[in-house]
Amino acid sequence: MDPIPCVLKNIKLTIALATDHGRHLTITPADTTEEQAHSVFMDAFIQNNRLDHVSQVMGYHPDYLRNFLTTQNYLLREDGPLPYDYRHYIAIIAAARHHCTYLVKLHEQDFLLHNGNPEWLKGIQHAPRKIQDLYEINKILAHRPWLITKEHLVKLLKSSEPWSLSELMHAIILLTHFHSLCSFVYGCGISAELDIDGFTYSRSGSSGSDSDSNSDTNSETGETTINHVLQLLQDDASVGLEALMEKMRKLNENNSEETSPEELLKRFQSVEHQSAEIAVPSTKKSPPKSEILRYVIDEEYTYTDFVTQDKVSEVPTFRACDYSWDDHGFPLANRLYTDIGNLLDDKYSMAANLTYYTMGDNREVDTTSFRRAIWNYIHCMYGIRHDDYDYSEVNQLLERNLKAYIKTLTCYPERLQKKDYDGVMREFKHSEKVHVNLMLMEARQQAELLYALRALNRYMT
């Protein structure tokens, strides 16, 4: 008997045990009969010696999952500038910025499997000075990437234990990859596999970590739980989808209308200011445990709205036409870290352009304008403006509660609460909500990376 299908079957049983009161995760089953998904699940298992929950949730979109796994495997396991233990430790400190217990625990295991020094797991202060020096840009990229300057990079490149350009490129991409992956983990309510060291499961609803996004808590706290997420993701008793499709249809019909550059700028600024007015959940009542905080420096440092920042004149809006991914970021990434630009570009394109021409139960729907609005709204929150985009589309296509969901999950994923799911995309299928979360993840990573690559480019020129 083929051992891999047997293992996949066991994984499916493990997942069933990890749900509360018999309520099963609405994810693609490990032993799916859908050939494409099953094939990529086999690849995931061979790469990682497990079929993790992230892969199973992404399994709704097997083409994307294949790109994601290829990129992540390249970053973590194939030849590259950084040693393997460094790669997993960087993943740990990146995930810890958002208190993501799931990713921290997973990469603590992988760190040890790659002969990492156990002393480093006592906290960031026990890591080599070279990694400690990286922490400042880890913090800034995670929360306020527009503040990254070439001076931050000079400190790393000219320190007593200097980073090479290729090493720094590898590290920056790892940081942005795991910052954004935290958003996906929280957004999909992904829980730890039962075999992850340190994870405990209780049917009463108490997780091994009160800071994990999937810990079941008293409903009075308003914190997100896996059960809340599952209930809301499957709820289709909402309204508004027909109105949204009508708006998209009208935008597609009127896209030939020309708008002056001055008016486009005003519309961008309007969306930017409106985003700053959207409230997000306050900090969790239960603080993260010491097992996470030992990797965190300056815990109070979080996202602040770009448009309301201090010294705003010193950090002008990032115009995508001046430094774009296609023309500038992509070639620089490839130059310093062979082929990574190609892999990232494929992943971004897949997430942004993926469509099955469906929306809820409707067929033959052109969702281009909706997908573009989500992507550009995320960039707007990070101060990135696409000059050729009409930002009035954001206000037409994204309702306020959806904007609040996007802002929370992008900028404060660890604060996600039950109410953020209420009434948001409730007529969407679960696979469509996963796709929205994929776009959030990729748009966020690209925004962080653009700021870092622009700073690196300024250093090199």
Side-chain angles (χ1 to χ4, degrees):
M1 181 179 292
D2 188 346
I4 293 180
C6 291
V7 175
L8 295 181
K9 182 177 180 180
N10 289 335
I11 292 172
K12 182 183 178 184
L13 295 174
T14 299
I15 293 170
L17 290 172
T19 57
D20 190 41
H21 304 298
R23 188 179 301 160
H24 291 248
L25 289 167
T26 54
I27 57 179
T28 308
D31 57 351
T32 175
T33 57
E34 204 283 313
E35 184 175 348
Q36 189 179 18
H38 188 266
S39 173
V40 74
F41 280 174
M42 296 281 278
D43 291 343
F45 179 80
I46 292 170
Q47 281 184 14
N48 304 321
N49 297 317
R50 64 167 70 235
L51 181 59
D52 58 55
H53 290 175
V54 168
S55 295
Q56 285 200 272
V57 173
M58 290 182 182
Y60 276 110
H61 308 287
D63 286 337
Y64 171 84
L65 175 56
R66 194 175 297 280
N67 278 4
F68 175 85
L69 290 173
T70 300
T71 303
Q72 183 166 268
N73 187 65
Y74 188 79
L75 286 169
L76 293 174
R77 298 180 181 88
E78 295 191 14
D79 291 343
L82 291 175
Y84 297 112
D85 55 347
Y86 270 51
R87 304 181 196 194
H88 290 287
Y89 201 83
I90 290 170
I92 291 168
I93 63 173
R97 279 310 310 178
H98 288 303
H99 308 162
C100 189
T101 304
Y102 173 78
L103 291 176
V104 169
K105 290 293 184 183
L106 183 64
H107 288 280
E108 282 179 337
Q109 279 194 347
D110 285 340
F111 172 79
L112 294 174
L113 286 172
H114 287 88
N115 299 316
N117 185 343
E119 286 294 309
W120 299 10
L121 299 185
K122 292 181 178 180
I124 185 67
Q125 69 274 18
H126 294 274
R129 171 54 55 185
K130 188 171 181 176
I131 287 183
Q132 293 186 46
D133 289 343
L134 187 69
Y135 200 86
E136 183 70 9
I137 68 167
N138 174 38
K139 179 182 74 174
I140 297 173
L141 282 172
H143 306 292
R144 306 173 198 173
W146 55 85
L147 296 181
I148 287 286
T149 66
K150 70 176 184 180
E151 285 72 28
H152 289 109
L153 306 183
V154 168
K155 289 180 181 178
L156 295 168
L157 296 165
K158 304 294 183 182
S159 69
S160 57
E161 297 184 31
W163 291 75
S164 69
L165 284 170
S166 59
E167 286 176 334
L168 186 55
M169 176 61 73
H170 195 172
I172 286 171
I173 295 173
L174 282 167
L175 290 173
T176 60
H177 176 85
F178 285 100
H179 293 156
S180 58
L181 187 55
C182 288
S183 291
F184 184 80
V185 168
Y186 281 102
C188 293
I190 294 173
S191 59
E193 293 82 53
L194 296 185
D195 64 327
I196 290 182
D197 183 35
F199 175 81
T200 58
Y201 170 71
S202 169
R203 292 195 65 86
S204 65
S206 296
S207 168
S209 168
D210 59 11
S211 66
D212 199 304
S213 63
N214 308 301
S215 301
D216 283 330
T217 61
N218 188 295
S219 61
E220 293 179 356
T221 67
E223 292 180 355
T224 302
T225 70
I226 186 64
N227 295 327
H228 293 322
V229 174
L230 294 174
Q231 177 183 351
L232 289 163
L233 288 175
Q234 298 176 54
D235 189 352
D236 60 359
S238 185
V239 295
L241 196 53
E242 291 295 332
L244 173 59
M245 290 192 298
E246 178 63 18
K247 291 177 182 178
M248 291 192 299
R249 184 185 64 78
K250 289 181 178 179
L251 284 174
N252 290 338
E253 291 176 353
N254 301 327
N255 60 9
S256 60
E257 295 181 3
E258 289 193 12
T259 307
S260 69
E262 293 77 16
E263 180 60 26
L264 289 176
L265 175 58
K266 288 180 182 178
R267 293 177 182 180
F268 168 79
Q269 292 172 337
S270 175
V271 170
E272 198 173 35
H273 282 85
Q274 289 171 12
S275 175
E277 295 171 358
I278 293 177
V280 297
S282 59
T283 306
K284 287 184 176 182
K285 292 181 180 179
S286 300
K289 287 191 172 183
S290 58
E291 61 187 9
I292 298 296
L293 289 181
R294 63 192 177 199
Y295 300 116
V296 178
I297 299 173
D298 195 1
E299 181 193 358
E300 300 304 316
Y301 190 92
T302 59
Y303 173 85
T304 59
D305 292 288
F306 178 85
V307 74
T308 61
Q309 62 178 309
D310 294 334
K311 301 180 180 179
V312 65
S313 61
E314 296 182 14
V315 188
T317 297
F318 187 125
R319 298 181 64 203
C321 63
D322 294 334
Y323 194 92
S324 70
W325 167 253
D326 289 339
D327 296 333
H328 307 95
F330 167 80
L332 179 59
N334 262 353
R335 174 182 169 188
L336 296 179
Y337 184 11
T338 305
D339 288 336
I340 193 60
N342 297 323
L343 294 172
L344 291 173
D345 192 61
D346 288 345
K347 191 159 61 79
Y348 296 152
S349 296
M350 178 63 68
N353 299 319
L354 180 68
T355 182
Y356 306 100
Y357 300 99
T358 63
M359 189 168 271
D361 292 328
N362 301 280
R363 299 290 180 268
E364 303 302 323
V365 181
D366 183 356
T367 62
T368 302
S369 57
F370 181 70
R371 287 181 278 115
R372 186 171 57 229
I374 290 175
W375 195 282
N376 288 346
Y377 181 58
I378 293 166
H379 280 196
C380 176
M381 291 188 295
Y382 283 102
I384 298 175
R385 177 189 167 211
H386 297 267
D387 292 17
D388 58 349
Y389 180 69
D390 184 352
Y391 284 84
S392 68
E393 293 188 16
V394 170
N395 285 337
Q396 293 180 65
L397 300 178
L398 307 183
E399 296 180 347
R400 188 177 181 86
N401 60 350
L402 179 54
K403 289 180 183 176
Y405 170 81
I406 291 171
K407 181 176 180 178
T408 304
L409 190 53
T410 303
C411 307
Y412 309 92
E414 67 278 9
R415 298 186 188 181
L416 216 60
Q417 298 179 9
K418 174 184 179 296
K419 66 180 182 180
D420 298 314
Y421 289 92
D422 290 338
V424 94
M425 301 183 292
R426 294 176 69 181
E427 288 183 273
F428 282 53
K429 294 181 178 179
H430 182 54
S431 60
E432 292 170 331
K433 294 179 180 182
V434 171
H435 183 198
V436 169
N437 288 340
L438 291 176
M439 288 191 292
L440 293 175
M441 174 174 69
E442 297 297 353
R444 175 185 175 175
Q445 190 200 15
Q446 189 182 65
E448 287 187 34
L449 200 52
L450 280 171
Y451 279 108
L453 294 177
R454 185 178 67 169
L456 194 56
N457 188 75
R458 288 174 175 173
Y459 165 78
M460 295 175 65
T461 56

